[in-house]
Every structure is written in structure tokens, then in C-alpha cells.
Amino acid sequence: QMCEKFTVCENSMEMLLRNDLNLPKVTEEDGHCSSVPDSLTFLSFQDKCLRKISSGLYTFQTYLEYIKETFASEKQNVESLCYSTEHLAHTIRRMVINPDEVVIPDPATQESLRAKLRSGKSWIEKITTHLILRDFTSFMEKTVRAVRYVKNTRSYS
């Protein structure tokens, strides 16, 4: 939709220049919760991955709030996405052995990020929205696989 409505597409030069958002990612080092080094570290490995996912979801909430402000035509859909993301972050946090280890951005950090996001011009706003939604989609795809894997392996152990 972003590409069609605002001509903000994956291969645009502005897209490449603007990607300094430092959005949360699930990386190979996190193991996607699927490749376990050995049986002794199984639970700590899964726990690390779940902490990373929950922390990432909490971080994405600030970015999604920005999208809600700037993508007015989709406000209701984005509000639903914000609510679902918050609920999922809480749910996964409860799966972590020590929930206090999940990193939740403090209000000052969130406000600083919001100010940075708001400081862009109109065309940057569209690119930023696209980048956030693209990376959120990728994060959620990996999250779904990881949570499904953890759920299946925990039910067998």
C-alpha cells in the first residue's frame, strides 16, 4: 500500500539513505529459538530468545504510535496493531523465566525517539513509516516461528 499510495518502494534511493532507525530485529545470534546448541542450555537459549522478542515488541510500540499519528487513513488498523503488539509483548514476557530481565523502554527514551521521528519532513515521514512497517513485519514473521517452536518443544519436555 505504501508503494502504491506514496511511491515509497523498497528500491527507492531515499529508502536506502534513510534507514537509520535502529529497529529491533531477531538475528542469527538469537537462534530464532530453533537451533539449540545442546540440551544443557536448551531452556536458557529459549529464554534468551523470548526476552529478545518481548523487548523488541515493547520497543516497536513507540514506532507504531508514531505510525498511528502519521498514517491517519489507517488509524483504526494501527490502533488495533498497537493493542495486539502490547498484548503479545506482555504474554511473551510472562513466558520468560525472569520477566524483569525484559528490556522495556523508559518514558524518557520513548519521548526522545518520538521527537526524533517527528523531526522529519513529509517525504521522510512516508519512508520512515514504510521502514517501520517493513521491519515490524519481518520481526513478527520470526516471532511467530520462534514462539511456535518454543510452544512445541516445551510441550514435549
Side-chain angles (χ1 to χ4, degrees):
Q1 272 186 339
M2 290 294 296
C3 186
E4 291 170 18
K5 272 187 174 180
F6 304 118
T7 64
V8 176
C9 303
E10 285 295 318
N11 59 355
S12 77
M13 184 57 89
E14 294 89 2
M15 185 76 69
L16 299 172
L17 295 173
R18 178 63 182 142
N19 196 359
D20 64 349
L21 295 173
N22 197 27
L23 294 160
K25 293 183 181 0
V26 176
T27 63
E28 285 299 321
E29 292 80 40
D30 303 313
H32 304 286
C33 296
S34 59
S35 56
V36 181
D38 61 51
S39 60
L40 295 176
T41 59
F42 184 66
L43 287 177
S44 65
F45 189 75
Q46 285 186 348
D47 196 61
K48 175 186 173 194
C49 185
L50 293 175
R51 275 195 319 267
K52 174 81 178 229
I53 289 170
S54 186
S55 296
L57 291 169
Y58 281 113
T59 300
F60 262 116
Q61 286 181 291
T62 305
Y63 289 100
L64 293 173
E65 289 292 328
Y66 166 78
I67 290 174
K68 188 167 63 172
E69 294 172 12
T70 59
F71 203 15
S73 65
E74 296 296 324
K75 187 174 182 174
Q76 188 172 356
N77 288 334
V78 179
E79 281 178 352
S80 175
L81 187 60
C82 288
Y83 173 79
S84 298
T85 300
E86 181 178 14
H87 181 72
L88 183 58
H90 291 314
T91 300
I92 292 175
R93 184 174 184 233
R94 287 194 307 265
M95 294 170 69
V96 172
I97 293 169
N98 185 356
D100 293 334
E101 292 179 359
V102 171
V103 177
I104 301 173
D106 60 79
T109 301
Q110 290 175 326
E111 189 50 46
S112 173
L113 177 57
R114 276 194 277 282
K116 177 185 172 192
L117 292 169
R118 288 181 190 134
S119 68
K121 296 183 173 132
S122 179
W123 67 273
I124 291 176
E125 184 178 282
K126 292 170 185 160
I127 291 167
T128 300
T129 298
H130 179 82
L131 290 171
I132 292 168
L133 291 173
R134 182 197 67 188
D135 283 15
F136 181 73
T137 300
S138 174
F139 189 90
M140 288 307 299
E141 288 168 352
K142 291 173 181 151
T143 294
V144 167
R145 276 182 283 200
V147 170
R148 189 175 293 142
Y149 178 80
V150 168
K151 183 179 175 226
N152 289 338
T153 56
R154 283 191 178 175
S155 65
Y156 294 122
S157 35

Short mmCIF file of all heavy atoms in Angstrom, two decimals, residues 1 56-68 71 74-90 129-141 144:
data_model
loop_
_atom_site.label_atom_id
_atom_site.label_comp_id
_atom_site.label_asym_id
_atom_site.label_seq_id
_atom_site.Cartn_x
_atom_site.Cartn_y
_atom_site.Cartn_z
N GLN A 1 0.83 -1.21 0.00
CA GLN A 1 0.00 0.00 0.00
C GLN A 1 0.86 1.26 0.00
O GLN A 1 0.54 2.20 -0.69
CB GLN A 1 -0.90 0.02 1.22
CG GLN A 1 -2.22 -0.67 1.04
CD GLN A 1 -3.11 -0.46 2.27
OE1 GLN A 1 -2.64 -0.16 3.36
NE2 GLN A 1 -4.39 -0.64 2.08
N GLY A 56 11.82 -6.48 22.00
CA GLY A 56 11.61 -5.90 20.68
C GLY A 56 10.19 -5.41 20.47
O GLY A 56 9.96 -4.35 19.91
N LEU A 57 9.23 -6.20 20.94
CA LEU A 57 7.84 -5.80 20.81
C LEU A 57 7.55 -4.54 21.62
O LEU A 57 6.83 -3.64 21.16
CB LEU A 57 6.92 -6.94 21.25
CG LEU A 57 6.90 -8.16 20.32
CD1 LEU A 57 6.17 -9.32 20.97
CD2 LEU A 57 6.26 -7.80 18.98
N TYR A 58 8.10 -4.46 22.83
CA TYR A 58 7.92 -3.23 23.63
C TYR A 58 8.54 -2.03 22.92
O TYR A 58 7.97 -0.93 22.92
CB TYR A 58 8.54 -3.39 25.02
CG TYR A 58 7.68 -4.17 25.99
CD1 TYR A 58 8.07 -5.42 26.45
CD2 TYR A 58 6.46 -3.66 26.44
CE1 TYR A 58 7.28 -6.14 27.34
CE2 TYR A 58 5.67 -4.38 27.32
CZ TYR A 58 6.08 -5.61 27.77
OH TYR A 58 5.30 -6.32 28.64
N THR A 59 9.68 -2.22 22.30
CA THR A 59 10.33 -1.13 21.57
C THR A 59 9.51 -0.72 20.35
O THR A 59 9.35 0.47 20.07
CB THR A 59 11.75 -1.54 21.14
OG1 THR A 59 12.51 -1.86 22.31
CG2 THR A 59 12.45 -0.44 20.37
N PHE A 60 8.97 -1.69 19.63
CA PHE A 60 8.17 -1.38 18.44
C PHE A 60 6.94 -0.56 18.78
O PHE A 60 6.43 0.17 17.94
CB PHE A 60 7.76 -2.66 17.71
CG PHE A 60 8.64 -2.99 16.54
CD1 PHE A 60 9.40 -4.14 16.55
CD2 PHE A 60 8.71 -2.15 15.43
CE1 PHE A 60 10.21 -4.46 15.47
CE2 PHE A 60 9.52 -2.45 14.36
CZ PHE A 60 10.28 -3.61 14.37
N GLN A 61 6.45 -0.65 20.01
CA GLN A 61 5.25 0.11 20.38
C GLN A 61 5.43 1.61 20.14
O GLN A 61 4.51 2.27 19.66
CB GLN A 61 4.88 -0.15 21.83
CG GLN A 61 4.27 -1.52 22.03
CD GLN A 61 3.88 -1.73 23.47
OE1 GLN A 61 4.74 -1.85 24.33
NE2 GLN A 61 2.60 -1.77 23.71
N THR A 62 6.59 2.15 20.44
CA THR A 62 6.83 3.58 20.22
C THR A 62 6.77 3.89 18.74
O THR A 62 6.19 4.90 18.33
CB THR A 62 8.20 3.98 20.81
OG1 THR A 62 8.23 3.61 22.19
CG2 THR A 62 8.42 5.48 20.69
N TYR A 63 7.37 3.04 17.93
CA TYR A 63 7.35 3.24 16.48
C TYR A 63 5.92 3.14 15.93
O TYR A 63 5.53 3.92 15.06
CB TYR A 63 8.25 2.21 15.79
CG TYR A 63 9.72 2.42 16.01
CD1 TYR A 63 10.41 1.68 16.96
CD2 TYR A 63 10.43 3.36 15.27
CE1 TYR A 63 11.77 1.87 17.17
CE2 TYR A 63 11.78 3.56 15.47
CZ TYR A 63 12.45 2.81 16.42
OH TYR A 63 13.79 3.00 16.61
N LEU A 64 5.15 2.21 16.45
CA LEU A 64 3.78 2.05 15.98
C LEU A 64 2.91 3.24 16.39
O LEU A 64 2.01 3.65 15.65
CB LEU A 64 3.19 0.73 16.50
CG LEU A 64 3.84 -0.53 15.93
CD1 LEU A 64 3.29 -1.78 16.63
CD2 LEU A 64 3.65 -0.64 14.43
N GLU A 65 3.18 3.80 17.56
CA GLU A 65 2.46 5.02 17.96
C GLU A 65 2.75 6.16 16.99
O GLU A 65 1.86 6.94 16.64
CB GLU A 65 2.86 5.43 19.39
CG GLU A 65 2.32 4.52 20.47
CD GLU A 65 0.81 4.57 20.60
OE1 GLU A 65 0.21 5.65 20.37
OE2 GLU A 65 0.22 3.52 20.93
N TYR A 66 3.99 6.25 16.54
CA TYR A 66 4.36 7.25 15.53
C TYR A 66 3.56 7.03 14.25
O TYR A 66 3.04 7.98 13.66
CB TYR A 66 5.87 7.18 15.25
CG TYR A 66 6.29 7.94 14.02
CD1 TYR A 66 6.42 9.33 14.04
CD2 TYR A 66 6.53 7.27 12.83
CE1 TYR A 66 6.80 10.02 12.90
CE2 TYR A 66 6.92 7.97 11.69
CZ TYR A 66 7.04 9.33 11.73
OH TYR A 66 7.41 10.03 10.61
N ILE A 67 3.45 5.78 13.82
CA ILE A 67 2.69 5.48 12.60
C ILE A 67 1.23 5.86 12.78
O ILE A 67 0.61 6.40 11.87
CB ILE A 67 2.83 3.99 12.21
CG1 ILE A 67 4.26 3.74 11.74
CG2 ILE A 67 1.83 3.61 11.14
CD1 ILE A 67 4.57 2.29 11.47
N LYS A 68 0.70 5.63 13.97
CA LYS A 68 -0.70 6.00 14.24
C LYS A 68 -0.90 7.50 14.05
O LYS A 68 -1.92 7.94 13.52
CB LYS A 68 -1.09 5.56 15.65
CG LYS A 68 -2.56 5.73 15.95
CD LYS A 68 -3.00 5.01 17.21
CE LYS A 68 -2.32 5.55 18.43
NZ LYS A 68 -2.86 4.99 19.68
N PHE A 71 -0.05 8.15 9.84
CA PHE A 71 -0.75 7.41 8.80
C PHE A 71 -2.24 7.43 9.13
O PHE A 71 -2.86 6.41 9.39
CB PHE A 71 -0.19 5.99 8.76
CG PHE A 71 -0.39 5.26 7.46
CD1 PHE A 71 -0.74 5.89 6.28
CD2 PHE A 71 -0.21 3.88 7.43
CE1 PHE A 71 -0.91 5.19 5.10
CE2 PHE A 71 -0.38 3.16 6.26
CZ PHE A 71 -0.73 3.82 5.09
N GLU A 74 -5.18 5.06 8.11
CA GLU A 74 -5.21 3.69 8.64
C GLU A 74 -5.20 3.68 10.17
O GLU A 74 -4.79 2.69 10.78
CB GLU A 74 -4.00 2.91 8.11
CG GLU A 74 -3.98 2.71 6.62
CD GLU A 74 -5.14 1.87 6.11
OE1 GLU A 74 -5.53 0.91 6.82
OE2 GLU A 74 -5.66 2.16 5.03
N LYS A 75 -5.65 4.77 10.78
CA LYS A 75 -5.56 4.92 12.24
C LYS A 75 -6.19 3.75 12.99
O LYS A 75 -5.61 3.23 13.93
CB LYS A 75 -6.19 6.24 12.68
CG LYS A 75 -5.98 6.52 14.14
CD LYS A 75 -6.47 7.89 14.53
CE LYS A 75 -6.18 8.11 16.00
NZ LYS A 75 -6.49 9.44 16.42
N GLN A 76 -7.37 3.31 12.58
CA GLN A 76 -8.05 2.23 13.30
C GLN A 76 -7.25 0.93 13.20
O GLN A 76 -7.09 0.22 14.20
CB GLN A 76 -9.46 2.04 12.75
CG GLN A 76 -10.28 1.07 13.57
CD GLN A 76 -11.73 1.03 13.11
OE1 GLN A 76 -12.14 1.77 12.23
NE2 GLN A 76 -12.51 0.16 13.71
N ASN A 77 -6.71 0.63 12.03
CA ASN A 77 -5.91 -0.58 11.87
C ASN A 77 -4.64 -0.50 12.71
O ASN A 77 -4.23 -1.48 13.33
CB ASN A 77 -5.53 -0.80 10.41
CG ASN A 77 -6.71 -1.24 9.57
OD1 ASN A 77 -7.66 -1.83 10.07
ND2 ASN A 77 -6.67 -0.94 8.29
N VAL A 78 -4.02 0.67 12.74
CA VAL A 78 -2.78 0.82 13.51
C VAL A 78 -3.07 0.76 15.00
O VAL A 78 -2.30 0.19 15.76
CB VAL A 78 -2.03 2.12 13.12
CG1 VAL A 78 -0.77 2.28 13.95
CG2 VAL A 78 -1.68 2.12 11.63
N GLU A 79 -4.20 1.31 15.45
CA GLU A 79 -4.58 1.20 16.86
C GLU A 79 -4.73 -0.26 17.25
O GLU A 79 -4.27 -0.68 18.32
CB GLU A 79 -5.88 1.96 17.13
CG GLU A 79 -5.69 3.45 17.25
CD GLU A 79 -7.00 4.21 17.47
OE1 GLU A 79 -8.10 3.58 17.37
OE2 GLU A 79 -6.93 5.41 17.72
N SER A 80 -5.36 -1.04 16.40
CA SER A 80 -5.52 -2.46 16.66
C SER A 80 -4.16 -3.16 16.70
O SER A 80 -3.91 -4.01 17.57
CB SER A 80 -6.39 -3.08 15.56
OG SER A 80 -6.48 -4.47 15.72
N LEU A 81 -3.28 -2.78 15.81
CA LEU A 81 -1.92 -3.33 15.78
C LEU A 81 -1.16 -2.97 17.05
O LEU A 81 -0.47 -3.82 17.62
CB LEU A 81 -1.19 -2.82 14.54
CG LEU A 81 0.18 -3.40 14.24
CD1 LEU A 81 0.11 -4.90 14.02
CD2 LEU A 81 0.76 -2.71 13.01
N CYS A 82 -1.30 -1.73 17.52
CA CYS A 82 -0.64 -1.30 18.76
C CYS A 82 -1.13 -2.13 19.94
O CYS A 82 -0.32 -2.61 20.75
CB CYS A 82 -0.92 0.18 19.02
SG CYS A 82 -0.08 1.33 17.93
N TYR A 83 -2.43 -2.30 20.03
CA TYR A 83 -3.01 -3.07 21.14
C TYR A 83 -2.52 -4.51 21.10
O TYR A 83 -2.11 -5.08 22.11
CB TYR A 83 -4.55 -3.00 21.09
CG TYR A 83 -5.19 -3.91 22.11
CD1 TYR A 83 -5.27 -3.52 23.44
CD2 TYR A 83 -5.67 -5.15 21.75
CE1 TYR A 83 -5.84 -4.36 24.40
CE2 TYR A 83 -6.23 -6.00 22.69
CZ TYR A 83 -6.32 -5.60 24.01
OH TYR A 83 -6.87 -6.44 24.95
N SER A 84 -2.57 -5.12 19.92
CA SER A 84 -2.15 -6.52 19.77
C SER A 84 -0.67 -6.70 20.09
O SER A 84 -0.28 -7.70 20.71
CB SER A 84 -2.44 -7.01 18.35
OG SER A 84 -3.81 -6.96 18.08
N THR A 85 0.13 -5.75 19.68
CA THR A 85 1.58 -5.82 19.94
C THR A 85 1.85 -5.73 21.43
O THR A 85 2.65 -6.49 21.98
CB THR A 85 2.32 -4.71 19.18
OG1 THR A 85 2.07 -4.87 17.78
CG2 THR A 85 3.80 -4.74 19.44
N GLU A 86 1.17 -4.82 22.11
CA GLU A 86 1.34 -4.69 23.56
C GLU A 86 0.91 -5.97 24.27
O GLU A 86 1.62 -6.47 25.16
CB GLU A 86 0.52 -3.50 24.08
CG GLU A 86 0.68 -3.29 25.56
CD GLU A 86 -0.10 -2.07 26.06
OE1 GLU A 86 -0.96 -1.55 25.33
OE2 GLU A 86 0.17 -1.66 27.21
N HIS A 87 -0.21 -6.53 23.86
CA HIS A 87 -0.70 -7.76 24.47
C HIS A 87 0.29 -8.91 24.26
O HIS A 87 0.60 -9.66 25.19
CB HIS A 87 -2.07 -8.12 23.89
CG HIS A 87 -2.67 -9.36 24.47
ND1 HIS A 87 -3.16 -9.41 25.75
CD2 HIS A 87 -2.81 -10.60 23.96
CE1 HIS A 87 -3.60 -10.63 26.00
NE2 HIS A 87 -3.39 -11.37 24.92
N LEU A 88 0.82 -9.03 23.04
CA LEU A 88 1.78 -10.08 22.74
C LEU A 88 3.06 -9.89 23.55
O LEU A 88 3.63 -10.85 24.07
CB LEU A 88 2.08 -10.12 21.24
CG LEU A 88 3.02 -11.22 20.77
CD1 LEU A 88 2.48 -12.60 21.13
CD2 LEU A 88 3.25 -11.09 19.27
N ALA A 89 3.53 -8.64 23.66
CA ALA A 89 4.74 -8.36 24.45
C ALA A 89 4.55 -8.81 25.90
O ALA A 89 5.44 -9.44 26.49
CB ALA A 89 5.08 -6.87 24.40
N HIS A 90 3.38 -8.51 26.48
CA HIS A 90 3.08 -8.92 27.87
C HIS A 90 3.02 -10.44 27.98
O HIS A 90 3.55 -11.02 28.93
CB HIS A 90 1.76 -8.34 28.35
CG HIS A 90 1.75 -6.86 28.56
ND1 HIS A 90 2.74 -6.18 29.23
CD2 HIS A 90 0.86 -5.91 28.17
CE1 HIS A 90 2.46 -4.89 29.25
NE2 HIS A 90 1.33 -4.69 28.62
N THR A 129 7.68 5.54 7.90
CA THR A 129 6.52 4.68 8.10
C THR A 129 6.71 3.36 7.38
O THR A 129 6.48 2.28 7.94
CB THR A 129 5.23 5.38 7.62
OG1 THR A 129 5.03 6.56 8.40
CG2 THR A 129 4.02 4.48 7.75
N HIS A 130 7.17 3.42 6.13
CA HIS A 130 7.39 2.20 5.37
C HIS A 130 8.45 1.31 6.02
O HIS A 130 8.26 0.10 6.15
CB HIS A 130 7.80 2.55 3.93
CG HIS A 130 8.07 1.34 3.10
ND1 HIS A 130 7.06 0.63 2.50
CD2 HIS A 130 9.22 0.69 2.81
CE1 HIS A 130 7.59 -0.40 1.86
NE2 HIS A 130 8.90 -0.38 2.03
N LEU A 131 9.56 1.91 6.44
CA LEU A 131 10.64 1.13 7.05
C LEU A 131 10.18 0.47 8.35
O LEU A 131 10.50 -0.69 8.61
CB LEU A 131 11.85 2.02 7.32
CG LEU A 131 12.62 2.49 6.09
CD1 LEU A 131 13.66 3.53 6.49
CD2 LEU A 131 13.28 1.32 5.38
N ILE A 132 9.43 1.19 9.15
CA ILE A 132 8.93 0.64 10.41
C ILE A 132 8.02 -0.55 10.13
O ILE A 132 8.18 -1.63 10.72
CB ILE A 132 8.20 1.71 11.25
CG1 ILE A 132 9.19 2.76 11.75
CG2 ILE A 132 7.45 1.06 12.42
CD1 ILE A 132 8.53 4.00 12.33
N LEU A 133 7.09 -0.38 9.20
CA LEU A 133 6.15 -1.46 8.90
C LEU A 133 6.86 -2.66 8.27
O LEU A 133 6.55 -3.81 8.59
CB LEU A 133 5.03 -0.96 7.99
CG LEU A 133 4.05 0.01 8.65
CD1 LEU A 133 3.09 0.59 7.62
CD2 LEU A 133 3.29 -0.66 9.78
N ARG A 134 7.84 -2.40 7.41
CA ARG A 134 8.59 -3.49 6.79
C ARG A 134 9.35 -4.30 7.85
O ARG A 134 9.28 -5.53 7.89
CB ARG A 134 9.57 -2.93 5.76
CG ARG A 134 10.37 -4.02 5.03
CD ARG A 134 11.57 -3.48 4.35
NE ARG A 134 12.52 -3.01 5.36
CZ ARG A 134 13.62 -2.35 5.08
NH1 ARG A 134 13.90 -2.03 3.84
NH2 ARG A 134 14.44 -1.97 6.03
N ASP A 135 10.07 -3.60 8.72
CA ASP A 135 10.85 -4.30 9.75
C ASP A 135 9.96 -4.95 10.80
O ASP A 135 10.29 -6.01 11.33
CB ASP A 135 11.86 -3.35 10.39
CG ASP A 135 13.06 -3.10 9.51
OD1 ASP A 135 13.00 -3.41 8.29
OD2 ASP A 135 14.07 -2.59 10.00
N PHE A 136 8.83 -4.33 11.10
CA PHE A 136 7.89 -4.94 12.05
C PHE A 136 7.35 -6.25 11.47
O PHE A 136 7.26 -7.25 12.18
CB PHE A 136 6.73 -3.98 12.36
CG PHE A 136 5.75 -4.53 13.35
CD1 PHE A 136 6.09 -4.63 14.69
CD2 PHE A 136 4.49 -4.95 12.95
CE1 PHE A 136 5.18 -5.14 15.62
CE2 PHE A 136 3.58 -5.46 13.86
CZ PHE A 136 3.93 -5.57 15.20
N THR A 137 7.04 -6.25 10.19
CA THR A 137 6.56 -7.47 9.53
C THR A 137 7.60 -8.57 9.61
O THR A 137 7.29 -9.72 9.97
CB THR A 137 6.19 -7.19 8.05
OG1 THR A 137 5.17 -6.20 8.02
CG2 THR A 137 5.71 -8.44 7.34
N SER A 138 8.84 -8.25 9.32
CA SER A 138 9.93 -9.23 9.39
C SER A 138 10.10 -9.74 10.82
O SER A 138 10.24 -10.94 11.05
CB SER A 138 11.23 -8.59 8.90
OG SER A 138 12.31 -9.46 9.09
N PHE A 139 10.06 -8.83 11.79
CA PHE A 139 10.19 -9.20 13.20
C PHE A 139 9.07 -10.15 13.60
O PHE A 139 9.29 -11.16 14.27
CB PHE A 139 10.17 -7.93 14.07
CG PHE A 139 10.50 -8.17 15.51
CD1 PHE A 139 11.81 -8.11 15.95
CD2 PHE A 139 9.50 -8.44 16.44
CE1 PHE A 139 12.13 -8.32 17.29
CE2 PHE A 139 9.81 -8.66 17.78
CZ PHE A 139 11.12 -8.59 18.20
N MET A 140 7.86 -9.85 13.17
CA MET A 140 6.71 -10.68 13.54
C MET A 140 6.77 -12.05 12.87
O MET A 140 6.37 -13.05 13.48
CB MET A 140 5.40 -9.97 13.20
CG MET A 140 5.10 -8.80 14.13
SD MET A 140 5.15 -9.22 15.88
CE MET A 140 3.87 -10.44 15.98
N GLU A 141 7.26 -12.12 11.64
CA GLU A 141 7.40 -13.43 10.98
C GLU A 141 8.34 -14.33 11.78
O GLU A 141 8.05 -15.50 12.02
CB GLU A 141 7.93 -13.25 9.56
CG GLU A 141 6.92 -12.68 8.60
CD GLU A 141 7.53 -12.25 7.26
OE1 GLU A 141 8.78 -12.25 7.11
OE2 GLU A 141 6.74 -11.90 6.37
N VAL A 144 6.67 -15.34 15.18
CA VAL A 144 5.68 -16.42 15.05
C VAL A 144 6.40 -17.77 14.97
O VAL A 144 6.02 -18.72 15.67
CB VAL A 144 4.79 -16.20 13.80
CG1 VAL A 144 4.00 -17.45 13.46
CG2 VAL A 144 3.85 -15.04 14.03
#
